[in-house]
Amino acid sequence: MKKNWLVASVLLVFTLGIQASEQKLPEHWFGEDPNSTITIDYSDWDYVLQASVLLSGPPSRELASEDRGSIGTRMKNKYNVKTINAGNKFFYERFRKTPELKATVSTIRDSLQKVPAEVQLNQLKNDEQLAYWLNLYNVVVVDEINKVYPQKKLEDFVTDDDGLLERKTVTVEGVALSLNDIQHKVLKVKFNKDPLTLYGMYQGYIGSPSIRKHAYTGDNVRRTLTANAFDFINSNRGTYPAGKEFLVANFYKRNADYFPDFKADLSAHLKEYLSGSDQYSLDNAKKMVAKIDDWTVTDIYGSNQNFGGSVADSSAALLGAFSQIGGPPETSEIANTELLSSALQSRATDYGRFSPELMLRLKELKLRNEQSRGTVTVKDLKEESEQN
């Protein structure tokens, strides 16, 4: 009896310790000002993405060519021909070779974590807040993958108990967060389990939603998420008609709480974006099976070992003639990363996300809010400043 009491006491103390270590999220993370005109500047992150993301083009069911190996060797790269070309790619190899570029991403990450200390999130519109959390999430993913690249397969790195999604890698207003905390404790709660938000959380592997060639903003976040959903669902990494079965990504199974009646709710969701012929395949399949996975890192060529020849033998290495920064966002190819290195590093050392005038106004509002102990509703700052 005494032994059982001791075990129970230890478990109680342990449970209470875990609960005590869980910090309560600030209430203002879950409010909004629908009239707000405050926007967050992501020029630095946008610059990185336009310089480093290679667009995969429209989603396709075509299979990739198999690697036949180089002359003089029987060694070949192994990859899934159904999914290897799916989704946008990121130029991790250049970041591996250019420490100042890696440092720039870390600087952007630190800067984004400080945004809610400059302006309370409930002083922003909901779409502006959604863009903020998605950009922060994706910057952290790129920054963390930079630390382990050229690791090719990311399943353990992402899903381990102390992996990318579970580690407390973010601190916002003194609250330590994991990427799963951002998804499940912030976004899922604030946006009522909206499945569309899933497509904004890039996780670094082919079987996850794509990283985009521009930063999310309050103005573009909804249409960009819709485009990402269409891309994912109509590519082989998201769904695949297979006769009597309709295959879907395990990504959906890992996020099954967004689809309480998994088959019915997921089917209805997929039909919003699937092409006509694939909708027919889904309707006529005898069962839906979650079995698609591709944990390959979404780099351009660096993790594909080149057997028996120089790097110039690699078809991916023939991406050589990259265009300069400045083309239309979603159309230009990868930019000259040497140019990116010098130009961005000088800009992002101490990046300000609000104008000096707005920062002064936000400090005044914060002080007024603290003095009144009430809630400040931010009106049209431009209009108000003109009146003053």
Side-chain angles (χ1 to χ4, degrees), residues 155-184:
E155 181 173 9
D156 292 341
F157 172 73
V158 172
T159 63
D160 276 357
D161 291 342
D162 191 32
L164 175 64
L165 301 183
E166 284 292 344
R167 275 184 285 120
K168 303 286 186 181
T169 53
V170 182
T171 302
V172 178
E173 291 195 273
V175 180
L177 299 169
S178 66
L179 294 180
N180 274 344
D181 289 335
I182 291 176
Q183 177 182 347
H184 297 290

Side-chain angles (χ1 to χ4, degrees), residues 202-335:
Y202 166 72
Q203 295 177 355
Y205 58 94
I206 289 175
S208 74
S210 274
I211 190 165
R212 303 301 296 184
K213 201 173 178 66
H214 58 77
Y216 291 104
T217 67
D219 287 338
N220 74 29
V221 66
R222 292 290 172 176
R223 66 175 179 271
T224 304
L225 290 176
T226 300
N228 239 20
F230 179 84
D231 170 72
F232 186 82
I233 290 169
N234 288 282
S235 74
N236 294 338
R237 75 192 198 283
T239 65
Y240 193 77
K244 296 180 180 179
E245 295 182 343
F246 192 85
L247 308 183
V248 299
N250 263 318
F251 173 82
Y252 290 116
K253 201 67 175 177
R254 291 189 289 274
N255 290 285
D257 47 348
Y258 287 78
F259 311 99
D261 184 340
F262 187 72
K263 182 178 180 181
D265 292 343
L266 181 56
S267 293
H269 171 70
L270 296 177
K271 286 179 183 178
E272 293 183 45
Y273 304 96
L274 275 172
S275 65
S277 60
D278 288 340
Q279 284 192 24
Y280 178 83
S281 298
L282 176 58
D283 285 335
N284 288 275
K286 294 194 176 295
K287 61 181 178 177
M288 176 188 291
V289 182
K291 63 185 293 185
I292 302 173
D293 268 322
D294 191 335
W295 294 98
T296 308
V297 64
T298 61
D299 70 4
I300 291 173
Y301 65 88
S303 67
N304 291 322
Q305 184 177 355
N306 185 46
F307 296 110
S310 69
V311 70
D313 293 330
S314 167
S315 59
L318 300 180
L319 292 168
F322 302 138
S323 65
Q324 300 293 320
I325 297 171
E330 296 296 327
T331 58
S332 57
E333 295 294 328
I334 300 173

Side-chain angles (χ1 to χ4, degrees), residues 62-70 75-86 89 152-153 206 293-297 299-301 303-307 313-316:
E62 292 184 11
L63 305 185
S65 301
E66 292 190 15
D67 184 0
R68 298 182 179 181
S70 301
M75 302 289 287
K76 297 189 293 184
N77 288 306
K78 291 184 179 180
Y79 51 76
N80 187 330
V81 295
K82 292 180 181 177
T83 58
I84 188 64
N85 288 335
K89 302 298 187 284
K152 183 175 181 178
K153 295 294 185 180
I206 289 175
D293 268 322
D294 191 335
W295 294 98
T296 308
V297 64
D299 70 4
I300 291 173
Y301 65 88
S303 67
N304 291 322
Q305 184 177 355
N306 185 46
F307 296 110
D313 293 330
S314 167
S315 59

Side-chain angles (χ1 to χ4, degrees), residues 47-48 51-52 95 101 325 336-345:
Y47 203 58
V48 169
S52 310
F95 284 73
L101 287 181
I325 297 171
N336 183 321
T337 47
E338 275 73 20
L339 175 64
L340 169 68
S341 173
S342 58
L344 184 55
Q345 185 69 11

